[in-house]
Structure formats: C-alpha cells, structure tokens
Amino acid sequence: MTVDVEEYFHPSEVQLSVRQANWDLLPSRVEQQTKTVLELFAEKDVKATFFMLGWVARRHPGLLREIVNEGHEIACHSYAHQLVYSLTPAEFREDTMTAVSVIADACGLEVLAGPGDAAAIGNLLVQAIAAARFQDLGEGRAYVARR
C-alpha cells in the first residue's frame, strides 16, 4: 500500500493557478488528513509506504516521525511536486537531493533512492539519479527511508 502525502494545492493541475511562492499563504490540510489515514490503518493493522513531499516534511516534521513511529516506511515524492519531464537532469537532481535531505532530517532515517520505473521518468533522469549516487532498491521503489 502506498500513500502520497501532499497538500491540495500541490497537484500540477492546481499549480497552474497557484504559484509556489504563495503556498505558505494557503491553509494546510495535510497533517489532519494524514492522521486520519494513520488512524484507519492502525484500526486495520495496515502498513504502507508514505511518499512525502520535501515541502511537507519541512513544514510538518512531526508528522513524518509519527508515520515512522507507527511502523510505516517514508519515501520521497520530490520536493515541490514538479512534473519530472519539465525538469532538466540538474534541476531534478537538485529537487531530489533537497527533498531527500529534508525528509531524512525530519524522520531521522537514512533516505535511500532508486530510479523506480525508468520508462516513466526517462533515461536522462535515470542518469541524474545515478550521478547523485543513489542506491537502486528494485521492486519499483524510489527514495525509500528505512530503519
């Protein structure tokens, strides 16, 4: 089971109307919504991988610790939820490295990375991931933080 943890204004369709510079001005819903999901998972004894945005991790580090303390995995879903194919390899590398650093600081775990589905993200971005010296975790996983 996987969960994308992002604000309602992060999807690319919404970013056309809401500039990233204004995100801090908008009300946050992500913490309460994620806690609701955690409660449901606890009731059913479900474990999941929570794909976090670095932007969310920076603003809600306690949420990441709560997810980890509940026994779930934390994974990186980028920093600012930009469309991968709109980034250069250098921009992708910077976004990823910033996200990995922020997520690791927030949850206290080492964040590993792998290219996941190379066909989906493109050969140039796989090369950028390799240049950042991230580890290939296989099984379609990408940027996973583990105990």
Side-chain angles (χ1 to χ4, degrees), residues 89-107:
E91 291 168 334
F92 176 78
R93 182 176 185 272
E94 178 64 28
D95 181 88
T96 301
M97 293 182 75
T98 300
V100 167
S101 175
V102 169
I103 291 168
D105 288 347
C107 69

Side-chain angles (χ1 to χ4, degrees), residues 4-11 14 23 26-31 33 53 55-56 59-60 81:
D4 282 0
V5 182
E6 57 196 48
E7 291 283 6
Y8 59 96
F9 46 82
H10 286 142
V14 179
W23 287 356
L26 299 170
S28 176
R29 298 179 185 154
V30 71
E31 191 165 16
Q33 291 174 337
L53 287 185
W55 190 93
V56 171
R59 283 151 186 85
H60 302 281
H81 207 274

Side-chain angles (χ1 to χ4, degrees), residues 6 9 21-22 30 34 42-43 46 51-52 54 59 65 79 86 88 96 100-101 104 115 117 126 128 130-131 137-138:
E6 57 196 48
F9 46 82
N22 294 330
V30 71
T34 304
E43 287 175 18
V46 171
F51 282 83
M52 304 296 304
R59 283 151 186 85
R65 290 188 291 275
Y79 184 83
S86 72
T88 67
T96 301
V100 167
S101 175
D117 182 2
V126 171
L137 299 176

Side-chain angles (χ1 to χ4, degrees), residues 44-121:
K44 301 295 183 185
D45 196 30
V46 171
K47 298 301 178 201
T49 300
F50 285 72
F51 282 83
M52 304 296 304
L53 287 185
W55 190 93
V56 171
R58 178 165 278 149
R59 283 151 186 85
H60 302 281
L63 181 61
L64 278 77
R65 290 188 291 275
E66 186 173 341
I67 292 167
V68 169
N69 290 339
E70 296 275 334
H72 303 284
E73 286 185 326
I74 298 286
C76 177
H77 187 41
S78 81
Y79 184 83
H81 207 274
Q82 303 301 306
L83 294 173
V84 172
Y85 55 80
S86 72
L87 302 174
T88 67
E91 291 168 334
F92 176 78
R93 182 176 185 272
E94 178 64 28
D95 181 88
T96 301
M97 293 182 75
T98 300
V100 167
S101 175
V102 169
I103 291 168
D105 288 347
C107 69
L109 300 175
E110 177 186 11
V111 178
L112 305 175
D117 182 2
I121 62 175

